[in-house]
Amino acid sequence: MKSARSLKAAVWGILLLTAWFALYRNLAAASHWLTYRVLGMTPGQHLAAAVEFFVFEVPKVLLLLVLIVFAVGIVRSFFTPERTRRILSGRREFAGNILAALLGIVTPFCSCSAVPLFIGFVTTGVPLGVTFSFLISAPMVNEIALVLLLGLFGWKVAAIYLATGLLIALIAGWIIGRLRMERHVEEWVYAVQTGPAADDAPPSWPERFQYGRDAVRDIVGKVWLYVVLGIAVGAGIHGYVPEGLMVSVMGKGAWWSVPVAVVMGVPMYSNAAGIIPIVQALLGKGAALGTVLAFMMSVIGLSAPEAVILRKVLKWPLILTFFGVVAAGILLVGYLFNAIL
Amino acid sequence: MKKLQILGTGCAKCAKLAQTTEEAAQSLGLAYEMEKVTDLRKIMAFGVIMTPALVVDGVVKASGRVPSSEEIKTLLQ
């Protein structure tokens, strides 16, 4: 019975994957055909360029989003926050920071439970700096951002984003640990009695697939509209905005563009999905990659709502240090990539 | 009488878990009382670091997610 169900799931999985690849491989040809044959547009027109961009990018990004969110959902079913806490508890600094930054990618995390997670970590022997490495990496190295970067900018930019995000989480957490800021944690936190970890039984494979499906329904259901709107605006820019317009504003020559991008990113939080396609279109018009990366990281890694939530357990000096160190890391990444690319 | 507790600090998922659990318990015809635990100290005492969580008679049955109503029904029995 159980093996029959697993077999059925495996067959379905293979069929769906094949269909996915067939669709993905033929998107470019299909969007070309749709734009010029079905809609009868003339190549070279502004409108044609915008329409072709839109009908190609929307299904491409949505396909990538479904596949990667599903895969990440399955990977995350192996890493509960409780398990991550046990792994990190009692680790020494540095090695612990590396581990925390890596676990931040695969552990399911929602900024709404940042506070219980923070308390659960620091009261069970996870060092403060290691906890911060986790808290920085978990939201920043985010699957939606990765998908959009992969789809719209290619795997190199996605890999750079992943690597620099991890590095910032690692170093920022390490610095916060070195600064010995334990006294800037609200006193009551250390008095909390955290009970022994409550662990669900490990899920079976059909349940893991269920997690993946739930993640797709949850996340894709929430962001698809922003993706479509963002790509629509991006398509407009792609078709109508003249080449080189952005050079003076977001180009390499404009030194102030990186800090401005970081500051602009802080209040933006949930709309990352819509912003990336717009930014991608701007990149084609002369914006610099480092500036774009800094903006992305700031949108995702530094969020004003998260600061408000964390204020329950952290005093202002620690929150400001946290934001300051992460912002400095993002600035550095921005300037670095503007300089070398 | 089953004692059901929903642990959460008031996020959208917590409300959803409370609602789904309530519906599941009613469709099972269960005698139950439900409590929403919002005090962080009490939540931490259960060893839960990812909200929302469902506690049945003092035992954590699910944390960090909203199980389907089918799964909740099996968790309640």
Side-chain angles (χ1 to χ4, degrees), chain A residues 18 26 45 48 68 116 128 130 145 164 173 187-188 192 201 207 215 238 253 261-262 271 274 284 309 311 327-328:
Chain A
T18 315
N26 292 302
Q45 274 183 334
I68 294 188
L128 189 63
V130 174
T164 49
E187 285 79 14
W188 65 269
V192 168
E207 277 172 326
H238 190 79
V262 172
N271 293 334
I309 291 171
R311 175 63 194 89

Side-chain angles (χ1 to χ4, degrees), chain A residues 28 84 103 131 142 146 181 202 207 272 278 301 323 330 332:
Chain A
T84 294
L103 284 167
T131 304
N142 147 304
L146 268 181
M181 299 194 74
E207 277 172 326
I278 300 175
F323 266 56
I330 295 174
L332 221 62

Side-chain angles (χ1 to χ4, degrees), chain A residues 13-236:
Chain A
I14 291 167
L15 277 177
L16 285 174
L17 258 182
T18 315
W20 188 96
F21 275 107
L23 265 172
Y24 192 79
R25 288 300 292 258
N26 292 302
L27 268 182
S31 58
H32 194 82
W33 176 77
L34 188 69
T35 311
Y36 299 108
R37 291 293 166 83
V38 179
L39 298 173
M41 296 195 165
T42 320
Q45 274 183 334
H46 287 318
L47 184 63
V51 167
E52 190 182 3
F53 181 84
F54 184 77
V55 295
F56 176 60
E57 297 295 346
V58 167
K60 183 175 87 176
V61 169
L62 290 181
L63 275 174
L64 280 171
L65 200 59
V66 167
L67 185 72
I68 294 188
V69 167
F70 183 74
V72 169
I74 288 181
V75 170
R76 285 194 174 156
S77 71
F78 288 89
F79 294 88
T80 61
E82 282 80 10
R83 193 165 166 200
T84 294
R85 179 181 78 178
R86 272 202 302 274
I87 297 173
L88 291 179
S89 163
R91 291 277 164 186
R92 261 185 284 167
E93 282 176 338
F94 207 73
N97 291 103
I98 297 176
L99 209 56
L102 287 171
L103 284 167
I105 309 175
V106 290
T107 310
F109 175 81
C110 142
S111 60
C112 55
S113 45
V115 165
L117 194 116
F118 179 85
I119 302 174
F121 274 33
V122 295
T123 54
T124 54
V126 181
L128 189 63
V130 174
T131 304
F132 268 102
S133 278
F134 180 85
L135 278 179
I136 295 165
S137 141
M140 185 134 83
V141 186
N142 147 304
E143 70 268 31
I144 301 169
L146 268 181
V147 167
L148 287 159
L149 290 176
L150 186 70
L152 297 169
F153 295 81
W155 68 269
K156 276 186 194 156
V157 175
I160 289 172
Y161 181 80
L162 182 69
T164 49
L166 280 175
L167 214 60
I168 290 177
L170 161 63
I171 295 170
W174 184 75
I175 292 175
I176 291 172
R178 292 281 88 195
L179 289 175
R180 302 258 161 260
M181 299 194 74
E182 279 78 1
R183 67 179 184 284
H184 295 297
V185 174
E186 292 287 349
E187 285 79 14
W188 65 269
V189 168
Y190 284 107
V192 168
Q193 297 292 317
T194 302
D199 232 348
D200 301 358
S204 64
W205 270 102
E207 277 172 326
R208 293 189 198 281
F209 280 109
Q210 185 63 45
Y211 286 176
R213 279 215 297 276
D214 288 349
V216 169
R217 208 185 48 212
D218 235 41
I219 295 175
V220 180
K222 225 182 317 185
V223 304
W224 73 270
L225 189 63
Y226 293 109
V227 172
V228 172
L229 288 176
I231 294 176
V233 176

Side-chain angles (χ1 to χ4, degrees), chain A residues 81-82 85 108-110 112-113 115-117 119-121 123 188 192-198 200 207 211 217-218 312, chain B residues 9 11-14 16 40-52 60-68 71:
Chain A
E82 282 80 10
R85 179 181 78 178
F109 175 81
C110 142
C112 55
S113 45
V115 165
L117 194 116
I119 302 174
F121 274 33
T123 54
W188 65 269
V192 168
Q193 297 292 317
T194 302
D200 301 358
E207 277 172 326
Y211 286 176
R217 208 185 48 212
D218 235 41
K312 279 191 204 167
Chain B
T9 46
C11 53
K13 279 186 179 176
C14 313
K16 194 171 171 228
L40 265 173
R41 274 163 256 218
K42 285 185 189 154
I43 293 176
M44 300 311 297
F46 283 100
V48 164
I49 57 178
M50 188 85 168
T51 57
V60 179
K61 292 291 189 179
S63 68
R65 63 199 177 93
V66 180
S68 66
E71 193 184 340

Side-chain angles (χ1 to χ4, degrees), chain A residues 6-17:
Chain A
S6 300
L7 188 71
K8 207 176 127 194
V11 170
W12 265 108
I14 291 167
L15 277 177
L16 285 174
L17 258 182

Side-chain angles (χ1 to χ4, degrees), chain A residues 226-283:
Chain A
Y226 293 109
V227 172
V228 172
L229 288 176
I231 294 176
V233 176
I237 295 171
H238 190 79
Y240 289 95
V241 175
E243 300 281 325
L245 180 83
M246 296 310 289
V247 170
S248 57
V249 191
M250 286 179 84
K252 285 183 192 181
W255 66 268
W256 44 269
S257 66
V258 179
V260 168
V262 172
V263 171
M264 273 174 53
V266 175
M268 299 186 190
Y269 182 57
S270 54
N271 293 334
I275 290 163
I276 300 166
I278 300 175
V279 170
Q280 190 259 355
L282 293 177
L283 196 69

